[in-house]
Coordinates of all heavy atoms in Angstrom, one line a residue:
M276 N -15.7 -4.7 17.0 CA -14.6 -4.8 18.1 C -13.3 -4.9 17.3 O -13.2 -5.6 16.3 CB -14.9 -6.1 18.7 CG -14.0 -6.4 20.0 SD -14.4 -7.8 20.8 CE -12.8 -8.6 21.2
A277 N -12.4 -4.2 17.9 CA -11.0 -4.1 17.2 C -10.3 -5.4 17.5 O -10.5 -6.0 18.4 CB -10.1 -2.9 17.8
Q278 N -9.6 -5.7 16.4 CA -8.7 -6.9 16.4 C -7.5 -6.7 15.7 O -7.4 -5.8 14.9 CB -9.6 -8.1 15.9 CG -9.8 -8.0 14.3 CD -9.9 -9.4 13.8 OE1 -11.0 -10.0 13.9 NE2 -8.9 -9.9 13.1
P279 N -6.4 -7.5 15.8 CA -5.2 -7.4 15.2 C -5.4 -7.6 13.6 O -5.9 -8.6 13.2 CB -4.3 -8.2 15.8 CG -4.9 -9.1 16.9 CD -6.4 -8.7 16.9
Y280 N -4.7 -6.9 12.8 CA -4.5 -7.1 11.4 C -3.0 -7.0 11.1 O -2.3 -6.2 11.7 CB -5.3 -6.1 10.5 CG -6.7 -6.3 10.5 CD1 -7.6 -5.9 11.5 CD2 -7.3 -7.1 9.6 CE1 -8.9 -6.1 11.6 CE2 -8.7 -7.3 9.6 CZ -9.5 -6.8 10.6 OH -10.7 -7.2 10.5
I281 N -2.5 -7.7 10.2 CA -1.2 -7.6 9.6 C -1.3 -7.0 8.2 O -2.0 -7.6 7.3 CB -0.4 -8.8 9.7 CG1 1.0 -8.5 9.3 CG2 -0.9 -10.0 8.9 CD1 2.1 -9.7 9.6
I282 N -0.6 -6.0 8.0 CA -0.5 -5.3 6.6 C 0.7 -5.9 6.0 O 1.8 -5.9 6.6 CB -0.3 -3.7 6.8 CG1 -1.5 -3.1 7.5 CG2 -0.2 -3.2 5.5 CD1 -1.3 -1.7 7.9
V283 N 0.4 -6.5 4.8 CA 1.5 -7.3 4.1 C 1.7 -6.5 2.8 O 0.7 -6.3 2.1 CB 1.0 -8.7 3.8 CG1 2.2 -9.5 3.1 CG2 0.7 -9.4 5.2
N284 N 3.0 -6.1 2.6 CA 3.2 -5.4 1.3 C 4.3 -5.9 0.6 O 5.3 -6.4 1.1 CB 3.5 -3.8 1.7 CG 4.1 -3.0 0.5 OD1 5.3 -3.1 0.3 ND2 3.2 -2.4 -0.3
E285 N 4.2 -5.9 -0.8 CA 5.4 -6.2 -1.7 C 5.5 -5.0 -2.6 O 4.4 -4.6 -3.2 CB 5.2 -7.5 -2.4 CG 5.3 -8.7 -1.6 CD 5.0 -9.9 -2.5 OE1 5.8 -10.2 -3.5 OE2 4.0 -10.5 -2.2
H286 N 6.7 -4.5 -2.9 CA 6.9 -3.3 -3.9 C 8.2 -3.6 -4.6 O 9.0 -4.4 -4.2 CB 6.7 -2.1 -3.1 CG 7.8 -1.8 -2.1 ND1 7.5 -2.1 -0.7 CD2 9.1 -1.4 -2.1 CE1 8.5 -1.8 0.0 NE2 9.5 -1.4 -0.8
S287 N 8.4 -2.8 -5.6 CA 9.6 -2.9 -6.4 C 10.7 -2.0 -5.7 O 10.4 -1.1 -4.8 CB 9.4 -2.4 -7.8 OG 9.1 -1.1 -7.8
S288 N 11.9 -2.2 -6.1 CA 13.1 -1.3 -5.6 C 12.8 0.2 -5.9 O 13.2 1.0 -5.2 CB 14.3 -1.9 -6.0 OG 14.4 -1.9 -7.4
Q289 N 12.2 0.4 -7.1 CA 12.0 1.7 -7.5 C 10.9 2.4 -6.7 O 10.9 3.7 -6.6 CB 11.5 1.8 -9.0 CG 12.6 1.3 -9.9 CD 12.6 -0.2 -10.2 OE1 12.0 -0.9 -9.4 NE2 13.2 -0.6 -11.2
E290 N 10.0 1.6 -6.0 CA 8.9 2.3 -5.3 C 9.3 2.5 -3.9 O 8.5 3.2 -3.0 CB 7.7 1.3 -5.3 CG 7.0 1.1 -6.7 CD 6.0 0.1 -6.8 OE1 6.3 -1.0 -6.3 OE2 4.9 0.4 -7.2
C291 N 10.4 2.1 -3.4 CA 10.8 2.2 -2.1 C 11.0 3.6 -1.5 O 10.2 3.8 -0.4 CB 12.2 1.6 -2.0 SG 12.6 0.7 -0.5
A292 N 11.7 4.5 -2.0 CA 12.0 5.7 -1.5 C 10.7 6.6 -1.3 O 10.6 7.4 -0.4 CB 13.0 6.4 -2.3
A293 N 9.8 6.5 -2.3 CA 8.6 7.3 -2.2 C 7.7 7.0 -1.1 O 6.9 7.9 -0.6 CB 7.9 7.2 -3.5
M294 N 7.9 5.9 -0.4 CA 7.0 5.5 0.7 C 7.3 6.4 2.0 O 6.4 6.6 2.7 CB 7.2 4.1 1.0 CG 6.6 3.2 0.0 SD 6.8 1.4 0.2 CE 6.9 1.3 2.0
D295 N 8.5 6.9 2.0 CA 8.9 7.7 3.2 C 8.0 8.9 3.4 O 7.6 9.3 4.5 CB 10.3 8.2 3.0 CG 11.4 7.2 3.4 OD1 10.9 6.1 3.7 OD2 12.5 7.5 3.1
A296 N 7.4 9.5 2.3 CA 6.5 10.6 2.3 C 5.2 10.3 3.1 O 4.5 11.1 3.5 CB 6.2 11.2 0.8
G297 N 5.0 9.0 3.2 CA 3.7 8.7 3.9 C 3.8 8.6 5.4 O 2.8 8.6 6.1
I298 N 5.0 8.6 5.9 CA 5.2 8.4 7.4 C 4.5 9.5 8.2 O 3.8 9.1 9.1 CB 6.8 8.3 7.7 CG1 7.3 7.1 7.1 CG2 6.9 8.4 9.2 CD1 8.8 6.9 7.2
P299 N 4.5 10.7 7.8 CA 3.9 11.7 8.6 C 2.4 11.6 8.5 O 1.6 12.3 9.3 CB 4.3 13.2 8.0 CG 5.6 12.8 7.1 CD 5.3 11.3 6.7
K300 N 1.8 10.9 7.5 CA 0.4 10.7 7.3 C -0.2 9.6 8.0 O -1.4 9.4 8.0 CB 0.1 10.7 5.8 CG 0.6 11.9 4.9 CD 0.3 11.6 3.5 CE 1.0 12.7 2.7 NZ 0.9 12.4 1.2
L301 N 0.6 8.8 8.7 CA 0.2 7.7 9.4 C -0.8 8.1 10.6 O -0.5 9.1 11.1 CB 1.3 6.8 10.0 CG 2.2 6.0 9.0 CD1 3.4 5.6 9.6 CD2 1.3 4.8 8.5
P302 N -1.8 7.4 10.8 CA -2.8 7.8 11.9 C -2.2 7.8 13.3 O -1.3 6.9 13.5 CB -3.9 6.8 11.8 CG -3.4 5.7 11.0 CD -2.3 6.2 10.1
D303 N -2.6 8.7 14.1 CA -1.9 8.8 15.4 C -1.8 7.4 16.2 O -0.9 7.2 16.9 CB -2.7 9.8 16.3 CG -2.4 11.3 15.9 OD1 -1.4 11.5 15.0 OD2 -3.2 12.2 16.2
Q304 N -2.9 6.7 16.1 CA -3.0 5.5 16.8 C -1.9 4.4 16.3 O -1.7 3.5 17.0 CB -4.3 4.8 16.9 CG -4.9 4.4 15.4 CD -5.7 5.4 14.8 OE1 -5.5 6.6 14.9 NE2 -6.8 4.9 14.1
W305 N -1.3 4.6 15.2 CA -0.2 3.7 14.7 C 1.1 4.2 15.0 O 2.0 3.5 14.8 CB -0.5 3.5 13.2 CG -1.7 2.7 12.8 CD1 -2.7 2.3 13.6 CD2 -2.1 2.4 11.5 NE1 -3.7 1.7 13.0 CE2 -3.3 1.7 11.6 CE3 -1.6 2.5 10.3 CZ2 -4.1 1.3 10.5 CZ3 -2.2 2.1 9.2 CH2 -3.5 1.4 9.2
K306 N 1.3 5.4 15.4 CA 2.6 6.0 15.8 C 3.2 5.1 16.9 O 2.6 4.8 17.8 CB 2.5 7.3 16.1 CG 1.8 8.3 15.1 CD 2.8 9.1 14.3 CE 2.2 9.7 13.1 NZ 1.4 11.0 13.3
G307 N 4.5 4.8 16.6 CA 5.2 4.0 17.6 C 5.1 2.5 17.3 O 5.7 1.6 18.0
T308 N 4.3 2.2 16.3 CA 4.1 0.7 16.0 C 5.4 0.2 15.2 O 6.1 1.1 14.5 CB 2.9 0.6 15.0 OG1 1.8 1.1 15.6 CG2 2.7 -0.8 14.5
N309 N 5.8 -1.0 15.4 CA 6.9 -1.5 14.7 C 6.6 -1.7 13.2 O 5.5 -2.0 12.9 CB 7.3 -2.9 15.3 CG 7.9 -2.9 16.7 OD1 8.6 -1.9 16.9 ND2 7.8 -3.9 17.4
F310 N 7.6 -1.4 12.5 CA 7.6 -1.4 11.0 C 8.7 -2.4 10.6 O 9.9 -2.3 10.8 CB 7.9 0.0 10.3 CG 7.7 0.0 8.8 CD1 6.6 0.2 8.3 CD2 8.9 -0.2 8.1 CE1 6.4 0.3 6.8 CE2 8.8 -0.2 6.6 CZ 7.5 0.1 6.1
Y311 N 8.1 -3.6 10.1 CA 9.0 -4.7 9.7 C 9.3 -4.7 8.3 O 8.4 -4.9 7.4 CB 8.5 -6.0 10.0 CG 8.0 -6.2 11.6 CD1 6.8 -5.8 12.0 CD2 8.9 -6.6 12.4 CE1 6.4 -6.0 13.3 CE2 8.6 -6.8 13.8 CZ 7.3 -6.4 14.2 OH 7.1 -6.6 15.5
C312 N 10.6 -4.1 7.9 CA 11.0 -3.9 6.5 C 11.9 -5.0 6.0 O 12.8 -5.3 6.7 CB 11.6 -2.5 6.5 SG 12.2 -2.2 4.8
T313 N 11.5 -5.6 4.9 CA 12.4 -6.6 4.3 C 13.3 -6.2 3.2 O 14.0 -6.9 2.6 CB 11.5 -8.0 3.8 OG1 10.6 -7.4 2.9 CG2 10.8 -8.6 5.0
C314 N 13.2 -4.8 3.0 CA 14.0 -4.3 1.8 C 15.5 -4.5 1.9 O 16.2 -4.8 0.8 CB 13.6 -2.8 1.8 SG 12.0 -2.4 1.4
P315 N 16.1 -4.4 3.1 CA 17.5 -4.5 3.1 C 18.0 -5.9 2.6 O 19.2 -6.0 2.1 CB 17.9 -4.3 4.6 CG 16.7 -3.6 5.2 CD 15.6 -4.0 4.5
G316 N 17.3 -6.9 2.8 CA 17.6 -8.2 2.4 C 17.4 -8.4 0.7 O 17.6 -9.5 0.3
G317 N 16.8 -7.5 0.1 CA 16.5 -7.5 -1.3 C 15.1 -7.9 -1.7 O 14.8 -7.8 -2.9
V318 N 14.4 -8.3 -0.9 CA 13.0 -8.7 -1.1 C 12.2 -7.3 -0.6 O 12.1 -7.1 0.7 CB 12.4 -9.8 -0.3 CG1 11.0 -10.1 -0.6 CG2 13.2 -11.1 -0.6
H319 N 11.7 -6.6 -1.5 CA 11.1 -5.2 -1.1 C 9.7 -5.5 -0.6 O 8.8 -5.9 -1.4 CB 11.2 -4.2 -2.3 CG 12.6 -3.7 -2.5 ND1 12.9 -2.5 -1.8 CD2 13.6 -4.2 -3.0 CE1 14.2 -2.3 -2.0 NE2 14.6 -3.2 -2.8
G320 N 9.5 -5.1 0.6 CA 8.1 -5.2 1.3 C 8.3 -4.9 2.7 O 9.3 -4.5 3.3
Y321 N 7.0 -4.8 3.3 CA 7.0 -4.5 4.7 C 5.8 -5.2 5.5 O 4.9 -5.6 4.6 CB 7.0 -3.0 5.0 CG 5.7 -2.4 4.6 CD1 4.5 -2.4 5.4 CD2 5.7 -1.7 3.3 CE1 3.4 -1.8 5.0 CE2 4.4 -1.0 2.9 CZ 3.3 -1.1 3.7 OH 2.1 -0.6 3.4
F322 N 5.9 -5.2 6.7 CA 4.8 -5.8 7.5 C 4.4 -4.8 8.6 O 5.4 -4.3 9.2 CB 5.0 -7.2 8.1 CG 5.5 -8.2 7.1 CD1 6.8 -8.3 6.6 CD2 4.5 -9.1 6.6 CE1 7.1 -9.2 5.8 CE2 4.9 -10.0 5.6 CZ 6.2 -10.2 5.2
I323 N 3.2 -4.5 9.0 CA 2.9 -3.7 10.2 C 1.7 -4.4 10.8 O 0.7 -4.9 10.1 CB 2.4 -2.3 9.8 CG1 3.3 -1.6 8.8 CG2 2.3 -1.5 11.1 CD1 2.9 -0.2 8.3
I324 N 1.8 -4.6 12.1 CA 0.5 -5.2 12.8 C -0.1 -4.0 13.6 O 0.5 -3.3 14.3 CB 1.2 -6.3 13.8 CG1 1.9 -7.4 13.1 CG2 0.0 -6.7 14.7 CD1 2.5 -8.4 13.9
V325 N -1.4 -3.9 13.3 CA -2.2 -2.9 13.9 C -3.5 -3.4 14.4 O -3.9 -4.6 14.3 CB -2.6 -1.8 12.7 CG1 -1.2 -1.1 12.3 CG2 -3.4 -2.4 11.7
E326 N -4.2 -2.6 15.2 CA -5.6 -3.0 15.7 C -6.6 -2.2 14.9 O -6.4 -1.0 14.6 CB -5.7 -2.5 17.1 CG -4.9 -3.3 18.1 CD -5.5 -4.5 18.6 OE1 -6.9 -4.6 18.6 OE2 -4.8 -5.6 18.9
A327 N -7.6 -2.8 14.4 CA -8.6 -2.1 13.7 C -10.0 -2.9 13.8 O -9.9 -4.0 14.3 CB -8.3 -1.8 12.2
E328 N -11.0 -2.4 13.3 CA -12.3 -3.0 13.3 C -12.4 -3.9 12.1 O -13.0 -5.0 12.2 CB -13.5 -1.9 13.2 CG -13.5 -0.9 14.3 CD -14.0 -1.6 15.7 OE1 -14.6 -2.5 15.7 OE2 -13.5 -1.0 16.7
T329 N -12.0 -3.5 10.9 CA -12.1 -4.3 9.7 C -10.9 -4.0 8.8 O -10.1 -3.1 8.9 CB -13.4 -3.8 8.9 OG1 -13.1 -2.5 8.4 CG2 -14.6 -3.8 9.6
A330 N -10.6 -5.1 7.9 CA -9.5 -4.8 6.9 C -9.7 -3.6 6.1 O -8.7 -2.9 5.7 CB -9.4 -6.1 6.0
E331 N -10.9 -3.2 5.7 CA -11.1 -2.1 4.9 C -10.8 -0.9 5.7 O -10.2 0.1 5.1 CB -12.7 -1.9 4.6 CG -13.2 -3.0 3.6 CD -13.3 -4.4 4.3 OE1 -13.4 -4.5 5.5 OE2 -13.3 -5.4 3.5
E332 N -11.0 -0.8 7.0 CA -10.6 0.3 7.9 C -9.0 0.4 7.8 O -8.5 1.6 7.7 CB -11.0 0.2 9.3 CG -10.6 1.4 10.2 CD -10.9 1.2 11.6 OE1 -11.2 0.0 12.1 OE2 -10.7 2.2 12.3
V333 N -8.4 -0.6 7.9 CA -6.9 -0.6 7.9 C -6.5 0.0 6.5 O -5.6 0.9 6.4 CB -6.2 -2.1 8.0 CG1 -4.8 -2.0 7.8 CG2 -6.7 -2.6 9.3
M334 N -7.0 -0.5 5.4 CA -6.6 0.0 4.1 C -6.9 1.4 3.9 O -6.1 2.2 3.2 CB -7.2 -0.8 3.0 CG -6.8 -2.2 3.0 SD -5.1 -2.4 2.8 CE -4.9 -2.3 1.1
R335 N -8.0 2.0 4.5 CA -8.3 3.3 4.4 C -7.5 4.3 5.3 O -7.1 5.2 4.8 CB -9.9 3.5 4.9 CG -10.4 4.9 4.8 CD -11.9 4.9 5.0 NE -12.4 4.0 6.0 CZ -12.4 4.3 7.3 NH1 -11.9 5.4 7.7 NH2 -12.9 3.3 8.1
L336 N -7.1 3.8 6.5 CA -6.1 4.6 7.2 C -4.7 4.5 6.8 O -3.9 5.4 7.1 CB -6.2 3.9 8.8 CG -7.5 4.1 9.5 CD1 -7.3 3.3 10.8 CD2 -7.6 5.6 9.9
L337 N -4.4 3.5 5.9 CA -3.0 3.4 5.5 C -2.7 4.6 4.5 O -3.4 4.6 3.4 CB -2.8 2.1 4.9 CG -1.4 1.6 4.6 CD1 -0.4 1.5 5.8 CD2 -1.4 0.4 3.7
P338 N -1.7 5.4 4.6 CA -1.5 6.5 3.6 C -1.2 5.9 2.3 O -0.7 4.8 2.2 CB -0.3 7.2 4.2 CG -0.3 6.9 5.7 CD -0.8 5.5 5.8
T339 N -1.6 6.6 1.2 CA -1.6 6.1 -0.2 C -0.1 5.7 -0.5 O 0.1 4.8 -1.4 CB -2.0 7.1 -1.2 OG1 -1.3 8.4 -0.8 CG2 -3.5 7.2 -1.0
E340 N 0.9 6.4 0.0 CA 2.3 6.1 -0.3 C 2.5 4.7 0.1 O 3.5 3.9 -0.5 CB 3.2 7.0 0.5 CG 3.3 8.4 0.0 CD 2.0 9.3 0.6 OE1 1.2 8.8 1.2 OE2 2.1 10.5 0.3
F341 N 1.9 4.2 1.1 CA 2.3 2.8 1.7 C 1.4 1.6 0.9 O 1.6 0.5 1.2 CB 1.9 2.7 3.1 CG 2.9 3.3 4.0 CD1 2.8 4.7 4.3 CD2 3.8 2.5 4.7 CE1 3.9 5.2 5.0 CE2 4.8 3.2 5.5 CZ 4.8 4.5 5.7
H342 N 0.7 2.2 -0.1 CA -0.1 1.2 -1.0 C 0.8 0.8 -2.2 O 0.3 0.2 -3.1 CB -1.4 1.8 -1.4 CG -2.4 1.9 -0.3 ND1 -3.5 1.0 -0.2 CD2 -2.5 2.7 0.7 CE1 -4.2 1.5 0.8 NE2 -3.6 2.3 1.5
A343 N 2.0 1.3 -2.2 CA 2.9 1.0 -3.4 C 3.0 -0.5 -3.7 O 3.1 -1.4 -2.6 CB 4.3 1.5 -3.2
G344 N 3.0 -0.9 -4.9 CA 3.1 -2.3 -5.2 C 1.8 -3.1 -4.8 O 0.6 -2.6 -5.1
R345 N 1.9 -4.2 -4.1 CA 0.7 -5.0 -3.7 C 0.6 -4.8 -2.2 O 1.7 -5.2 -1.4 CB 1.0 -6.4 -4.1 CG 0.7 -6.7 -5.5 CD 0.4 -8.1 -5.9 NE 1.5 -9.0 -5.4 CZ 2.6 -9.2 -6.1 NH1 2.8 -8.8 -7.3 NH2 3.6 -10.1 -5.5
T346 N -0.6 -4.6 -1.7 CA -0.7 -4.3 -0.2 C -2.1 -5.0 0.2 O -3.1 -4.9 -0.5 CB -0.8 -2.8 0.2 OG1 0.3 -2.2 -0.4 CG2 -0.8 -2.7 1.7
K347 N -2.0 -5.8 1.3 CA -3.3 -6.4 1.8 C -3.3 -6.3 3.4 O -2.2 -6.2 3.9 CB -3.5 -7.8 1.3 CG -2.4 -8.6 1.5 CD -2.5 -9.9 0.7 CE -1.4 -10.8 0.8 NZ -1.4 -12.0 -0.1
A348 N -4.5 -6.3 3.9 CA -4.6 -6.3 5.4 C -5.3 -7.6 5.7 O -6.4 -7.9 5.3 CB -5.5 -5.2 5.8
L349 N -4.6 -8.4 6.6 CA -5.1 -9.8 6.9 C -5.4 -9.8 8.5 O -4.6 -9.4 9.2 CB -4.0 -10.8 6.6 CG -3.5 -10.8 5.1 CD1 -2.4 -11.8 4.9 CD2 -4.6 -11.2 4.1
A350 N -6.6 -10.4 8.8 CA -7.0 -10.6 10.1 C -5.9 -11.6 10.8 O -5.5 -12.5 10.1 CB -8.5 -11.2 10.2
L351 N -5.5 -11.3 12.0 CA -4.4 -12.0 12.5 C -4.7 -12.6 13.8 O -5.3 -11.9 14.7 CB -3.3 -10.8 12.7 CG -1.8 -11.4 13.1 CD1 -1.3 -12.3 12.0 CD2 -0.9 -10.2 13.3
E352 N -4.3 -13.8 14.0 CA -4.4 -14.4 15.3 C -2.9 -14.6 15.9 O -2.1 -15.0 15.2 CB -5.0 -15.9 15.2 CG -5.2 -16.5 16.5 CD -5.7 -17.9 16.4 OE1 -6.0 -18.4 15.3 OE2 -5.9 -18.6 17.4
I353 N -2.7 -14.1 17.1 CA -1.4 -14.0 17.7 C -1.4 -15.0 18.9 O -2.3 -14.9 19.7 CB -1.0 -12.6 18.2 CG1 -1.1 -11.7 16.9 CG2 0.4 -12.6 18.8 CD1 -0.9 -10.2 17.3
F354 N -0.4 -15.9 18.8 CA -0.3 -16.9 20.0 C 1.2 -17.1 20.2 O 2.1 -16.9 19.3 CB -1.1 -18.2 19.9 CG -0.8 -19.0 18.6 CD1 0.1 -19.9 18.5 CD2 -1.5 -18.6 17.4 CE1 0.5 -20.5 17.3 CE2 -1.2 -19.3 16.2 CZ -0.3 -20.3 16.2
Q355 N 1.5 -17.5 21.4 CA 3.0 -17.7 21.7 C 3.3 -19.2 21.6 O 2.5 -20.1 21.8 CB 3.2 -17.3 23.2 CG 3.1 -15.9 23.4 CD 3.7 -15.3 24.7 OE1 3.4 -16.0 25.8 NE2 4.5 -14.4 24.7
L356 N 4.5 -19.3 21.0 CA 5.1 -20.7 20.8 C 5.6 -21.3 22.0 O 6.1 -20.6 22.9 CB 6.0 -20.7 19.6 CG 5.5 -20.1 18.3 CD1 6.6 -20.1 17.3 CD2 4.4 -21.0 17.8
Ligands
ZN257 ZN1 11.7 -1.4 -0.6

């Protein structure tokens, strides 16, 4: 059963620009998903919240360009405050 995962990435400033090449390779079901980028503040990284069956599936669907630096997919529980 699909559930939410958050992709958490940290990368160096040098790895930033190369990630753009991965955008066209994102799976169709992730198109239109919010991309939370912390690069402008000087902490290079991003977060994406997606639906998937397993963390392994998330990592497999994520284009290699987006694996720059350290990347992990964490099962996510979402609730309102
Ligand atoms: Zn960056």
